[in-house]
């Protein structure tokens, strides 16, 4: 219950402060531009609905991860820097409850981003194949990725205690996670590229979207990648719990 | 109320507290003095169960701080030296949030009377970001009183306040001590705070107690004079 109060406070902070609200506005603007380009640009219009849906799903997932990393970096280091964490620690709330509340708010942020993106997904993917199953996969894997990256960056924020430094490391991790996008198709097919794809939860998610939306493959094809993402989820939660229980002012 | 025995805390080889021993009686306004870096804030953070000591014992109202931190947090509260605020909240929302964390939903009237006690009545609907430093300090004290603590830790509560603001805080603390029997542990640099409020003091330097005693008229100047002369304050 105490974690719920922390979560409520964090969500209100996201919505009521310009810092948080700006992300939602930006998400809407970027998705609007992207959808407009997809639907009007003649070259992009050669893509079928499935491919457009796949591309916008990747983008929404990346945005969810980025926002999770930014909010996670602020979670403990930001509160230490603003001098607000000590009052929280003075109250009879366990550190793990504080972390749970903050993580709950990070997930809620992802849910808001997902809800904002739904109309765009329907517009871009309308009439194409696998729209609903694609959205279901985005909801599940996007939530797991939001947990992974938010929990990891919160843990980092608790250990480093500097928002600037945890933000820099988080952005580095974001680039690392996005590396499959930068690698050429040929490089991704080498053994190194395959290993990199397999151990990277973001790559696992986008390969799953590709398999589900474009190749129409069933769950048995996705099970391995989904299991890896679930493994990362547990690992990130363990990292957060360990980092927070060691946190001292 | 508080018993501290052989308290030791080290940070990366630096000894912040070096075998600290003292006790605070119920009903005291206990002055905890020392120069910057003497270990005052570290002591308060250990006593309020925010950080752990490397060794030693701390018992507050019969509870071991290291073994029963949650039980201790239920009966104490504190105003840290650099207390930050959720500036996007109103004072009422701020107090409601913290009262929820204590599992006590405060009624509107209870919050009003708490804000009145600290002199913020009528300002409860204003965003904290619009508050002056003195008003924020009062709100911090209101937050520290939310669970009706038996023991209140205050780390430099009058720092940066004008003379009237300081006097108001003094009156509020004396009221709390006399009317509600709240024991107050006060860390301060200011002679005026000690003279007006404290009945007992301890002076620490390099994590050790260098002077301790009761505050009687005329003696406080001597203690301060000697401590200043020896470079401790």
């Amino acid at each position: 219950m105490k974690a719920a109060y922390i979560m409520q406070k964090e969500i209100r902070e996201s919505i009521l402060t310009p810092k948080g609200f700006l992300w939602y506005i930006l998400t809407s603007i970027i998705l609007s531009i992207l959808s407009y380009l997809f639907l009007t640009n003649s070259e992009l219009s050669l893509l079928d609905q499935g491919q457009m849906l796949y591309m916008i799903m990747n983008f929404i997932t990346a945005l969810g991860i980025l926002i999770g990393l930014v909010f996670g970096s602020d979670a403990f280091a930001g509160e230490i820097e603003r001098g607000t964490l000590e009052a929280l620690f003075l109250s009879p709330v366990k550190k793990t409850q504080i972390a749970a509340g903050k993580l709950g708010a990070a997930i809620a942020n992802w849910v808001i981003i997902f809800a904002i993106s739904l109309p765009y997904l329907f517009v871009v993917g309308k009439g194409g194949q696998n729209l609903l199953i694609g959205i279901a996969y985005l909801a599940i894997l996007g939530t797991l990725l939001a947990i992974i990256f938010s929990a990891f960056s919160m843990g980092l924020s608790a250990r480093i205690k500097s928002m600037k430094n945890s933000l820099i490391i988080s952005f580095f991790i974001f680039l690392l996670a996005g590396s499959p996008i930068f690698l050429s198709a040929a490089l991704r097919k080498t053994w190194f590229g395959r290993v990199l794809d397999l151990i990277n939860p973001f790559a696992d998610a986008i390969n799953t979207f590709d398999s589900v939306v474009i190749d129409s493959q069933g769950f048995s094809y996705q099970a391995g990648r989904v299991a890896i993402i679930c493994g990362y989820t547990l690992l990130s939660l363990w990292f957060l719990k360990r980092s927070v229980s060691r946190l001292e002012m | 109320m508080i018993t501290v025995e052989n308290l030791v805390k080290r940070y990366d080889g630096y000894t912040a507290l070096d075998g600290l021993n003292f006790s605070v009686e119920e009903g005291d306004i206990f002055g905890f003095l020392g120069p910057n870096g003497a270990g005052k804030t570290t002591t308060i953070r250990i006593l309020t169960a925010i950080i752990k000591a490397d060794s030693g014992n701390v018992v507050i109202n019969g509870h071991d701080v290291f073994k029963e931190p949650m039980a201790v947090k239920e009966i104490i509260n504190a105003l840290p030296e650099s207390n930050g605020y959720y500036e996007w909240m109103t004072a009422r929302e701020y107090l409601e949030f913290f009262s929820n964390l204590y599992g006590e939903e405060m009624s509107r009237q209870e919050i009003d009377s708490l804000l009145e006690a600290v002199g913020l009545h009528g300002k409860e609907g204003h965003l904290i970001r619009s508050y002056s430093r003195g008003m924020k300090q009062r709100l911090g004290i209101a937050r520290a009183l939310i669970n009706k603590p038996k023991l209140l830790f205050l780390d430099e509560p009058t720092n940066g306040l004008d003379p009237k603001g300081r006097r108001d805080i003094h009156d509020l603390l004396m009221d709390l001590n006399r009317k509600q029997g709240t024991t107050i542990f006060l860390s301060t640099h200011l002679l005026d705070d000690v003279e007006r409020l404290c009945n007992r003091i301890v002076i620490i330097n390099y994590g050790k107690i260098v002077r301790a005693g009761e505050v009687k008229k005329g003696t406080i100047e001597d203690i301060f004079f000697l401590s200043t002369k020896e470079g401790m304050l």
Side-chain angles (χ1 to χ4, degrees):
Chain A
M1 194 59 193
K2 287 175 181 174
Y5 288 121
I6 307 267
M7 180 176 157
Q8 197 182 20
K9 187 272 286 180
E10 294 284 327
I11 293 172
R12 283 193 62 220
E13 190 167 10
S14 304
I15 294 169
L16 291 182
T17 59
K19 174 196 80 178
F21 199 69
L22 194 69
W23 283 105
Y24 307 139
I25 302 280
L26 273 176
T27 302
S28 303
I29 292 170
I30 293 170
L31 285 175
S32 299
I33 293 170
L34 212 61
S35 305
Y36 178 78
L37 284 174
F38 276 147
L39 297 172
T40 58
N41 187 290
S42 59
E43 195 180 329
L44 286 170
S45 293
L46 292 176
L47 297 171
D48 67 21
Q49 248 75 17
Q51 277 179 314
M52 287 199 281
L53 179 66
Y54 162 69
M55 286 170 78
I56 203 162
M57 280 167 70
N58 290 348
F59 182 78
I60 293 163
T61 310
L63 203 63
I65 291 174
L66 180 66
I67 293 173
L69 287 171
V70 172
F71 277 84
S73 303
D74 180 67
F76 290 98
E79 289 230 32
I80 290 172
E81 286 172 9
R82 292 188 291 274
T84 49
L85 194 64
E86 199 160 347
L88 273 186
F89 279 5
L90 282 165
S91 54
V93 185
K94 290 178 183 162
K95 289 173 186 171
T96 46
Q97 288 176 309
I98 297 174
K102 285 177 177 284
L103 186 62
I107 296 168
N109 261 322
W110 155 250
V111 172
I112 293 171
I113 298 291
F114 179 72
I116 291 171
S117 69
L118 272 177
Y120 299 96
L121 286 165
F122 277 105
V123 168
V124 170
K126 195 176 74 178
Q129 58 194 14
N130 304 317
L131 171 63
L132 292 180
I133 188 79
I135 291 176
Y137 267 93
L138 176 64
I140 295 164
L141 297 188
T143 306
L144 292 178
L145 289 178
I147 294 172
I148 293 169
F149 286 94
S150 305
F152 183 76
S153 114
M154 276 181 198
L156 210 60
S157 153
R159 280 173 187 256
I160 297 176
K161 296 180 194 169
S162 152
M163 194 181 155
K164 191 178 80 181
N165 291 338
S166 51
L167 204 58
I168 289 169
I169 296 175
S170 292
F171 275 123
F172 181 73
I173 289 162
F174 178 70
L175 289 176
L176 210 63
S179 60
I181 295 165
F182 307 120
L183 297 182
S184 67
L187 191 58
R188 286 179 72 184
K189 280 179 183 152
T190 63
W191 70 268
F192 178 73
R194 282 176 198 276
V195 170
L196 203 64
D197 256 15
L198 198 66
I199 60 166
N200 179 343
F202 179 59
D204 283 322
I206 62 172
N207 289 336
T208 303
F209 297 152
D210 185 359
S211 170
V212 169
V213 175
I214 296 173
D215 301 334
S216 303
Q217 290 172 324
F219 181 73
S220 57
Y221 285 90
Q222 327 306 336
R225 286 189 292 260
V226 173
I228 290 172
I229 293 173
C230 289
Y232 270 109
T233 309
L234 295 176
L235 193 69
S236 65
L237 291 174
W238 171 83
F239 176 73
L240 174 61
K241 186 174 183 290
R242 199 168 163 77
S243 304
V244 167
S245 52
R246 286 176 167 190
L247 174 62
E248 284 201 339
M249 296 295 299
Chain B
M1 180 56 96
I2 308 178
T3 310
V4 176
E5 290 174 347
N6 295 318
L7 202 60
V8 175
K9 178 73 181 175
R10 294 187 189 91
Y11 293 106
D12 301 325
Y14 166 72
T15 305
L17 299 179
D18 191 5
L20 213 58
N21 290 287
F22 63 86
S23 63
V24 179
E25 300 300 321
E26 198 167 344
D28 273 354
I29 299 187
F30 185 84
F32 197 60
L33 317 168
N36 290 336
K40 300 191 297 293
T41 298
T42 301
T43 306
I44 290 180
R45 284 179 173 172
I46 292 172
L47 266 50
T48 51
I50 286 181
I51 60 171
K52 289 188 174 125
D54 292 314
S55 63
N57 295 311
V58 180
V59 178
I60 292 182
N61 211 29
H63 299 286
D64 186 317
V65 169
F66 306 128
K67 289 179 185 155
E68 309 164 81
M70 289 299 151
V72 169
K73 285 177 182 185
E74 293 283 356
I75 55 164
I76 66 157
N77 214 326
L79 177 64
E81 184 183 6
S82 48
N83 192 46
Y85 299 86
Y86 301 117
E87 308 234 337
W88 50 273
M89 284 186 184
T90 64
R92 180 184 295 286
E93 289 166 346
Y94 183 75
L95 296 181
E96 274 170 356
F97 169 64
F98 278 100
S99 73
N100 287 334
L101 297 185
Y102 281 91
E104 301 163 12
E105 260 186 52
M106 289 179 92
S107 67
R108 212 179 161 80
Q109 286 84 351
E110 282 175 306
I111 288 179
D112 280 345
S113 61
L114 190 54
L115 286 168
E116 194 168 355
V118 297
L120 285 176
H121 190 58
K123 310 274 187 197
E124 61 272 16
H126 296 199
L127 290 180
I128 299 173
R129 76 164 61 98
S130 69
Y131 280 20
S132 67
R133 187 182 158 81
M135 288 162 79
K136 284 180 182 170
Q137 201 72 339
R138 287 158 193 257
L139 181 62
I141 291 175
R143 201 261 311 139
L145 297 176
I146 212 144
N147 59 328
K148 301 182 181 73
K150 289 183 177 173
L151 172 60
L152 183 61
F153 292 89
L154 300 164
D155 198 354
E156 312 275 0
T158 55
N159 246 7
L161 297 185
D162 58 26
K164 187 191 176 301
R166 289 228 308 268
R167 217 167 31 245
D168 289 348
I169 299 277
H170 287 168
D171 293 343
L172 174 68
L173 296 179
M174 281 194 285
D175 256 20
L176 269 172
N177 180 255
R178 283 173 194 160
K179 292 180 184 165
Q180 294 178 31
T182 309
T183 306
I184 295 173
F185 187 102
L186 178 72
S187 162
T188 184
H189 276 108
L190 304 168
L191 175 61
D192 186 40
D193 285 357
V194 180
E195 252 184 340
R196 285 204 66 198
L197 297 170
C198 301
N199 61 320
R200 290 208 306 132
I201 61 164
V202 149
I203 301 177
I204 68 164
N205 199 12
Y206 298 112
K208 285 182 175 171
I209 290 179
V210 289
R211 286 187 206 286
E214 290 191 8
V215 178
K216 289 173 189 158
K217 207 159 176 61
T219 60
I220 191 73
E221 285 86 354
D222 298 341
I223 290 172
F224 263 80
F225 175 72
L226 285 169
S227 304
T228 313
K229 200 173 152 191
E230 291 164 18
M232 286 184 293
L233 288 175

